[in-house]
Amino acid sequence: MLPVSTGSMIPVRRVVLSSLVFGGLVWAGPTMAQGGAQGGKNAPPPVEEVVPQVATVPYDDKLARLAEVLGSVHYLRTLCKAPGADEWRADMQQLLDSETNGEPQRKEKLTAAFNRGYRAFASVYTDCTQAAIVAEERYRNEGATLATEITSRFGN
């Protein structure tokens, strides 16, 4: 089994969530009540809602594919009762913790990729067959390659 270490993954620290919305309370005090006949001179300007930008990094596509591979391997290893089957879910959690801290959109995207990989094989394999074992091995190799590519190209 080729171990895929996500401990050396680089956390994304470059993107800072900006866009704080400073929307105060609208006071409907005596001046506002009297200002109704004056055409709303005292009415506050409309507050524009600022939507935070989704953080992206150059290796997000490869990271999403790695998450999908982790989901696939997790399903297949669990199906075939392979030793260490639960470590793939733990690896995914470690990846989420290191890569998406404070970035809920990225976390959702990677979680969806993991679940997509899991479901893709759950819809095909209900028993541990030789084909499932071969698929699991190929996906582990792809995951190891992806992890190496990401860390060597985008690592510090």
Side-chain angles (χ1 to χ4, degrees), residues 65-100:
R65 178 61 186 154
L66 178 61
E68 196 170 335
V69 166
L70 288 172
S72 298
V73 171
H74 175 64
Y75 176 78
L76 291 169
R77 289 186 69 79
T78 302
L79 179 68
C80 293
K81 297 176 181 32
D86 289 335
E87 73 185 40
W88 297 92
R89 182 181 293 262
D91 286 346
M92 181 62 195
Q93 186 59 54
Q94 183 181 6
L95 177 69
L96 288 173
D97 292 343
S98 66
E99 284 291 331
T100 65

Side-chain angles (χ1 to χ4, degrees), residues 52-70:
Q53 293 181 345
V54 176
T56 58
V57 292
Y59 53 92
D60 263 355
D61 291 339
K62 287 188 181 282
L63 208 57
R65 178 61 186 154
L66 178 61
E68 196 170 335
V69 166
L70 288 172

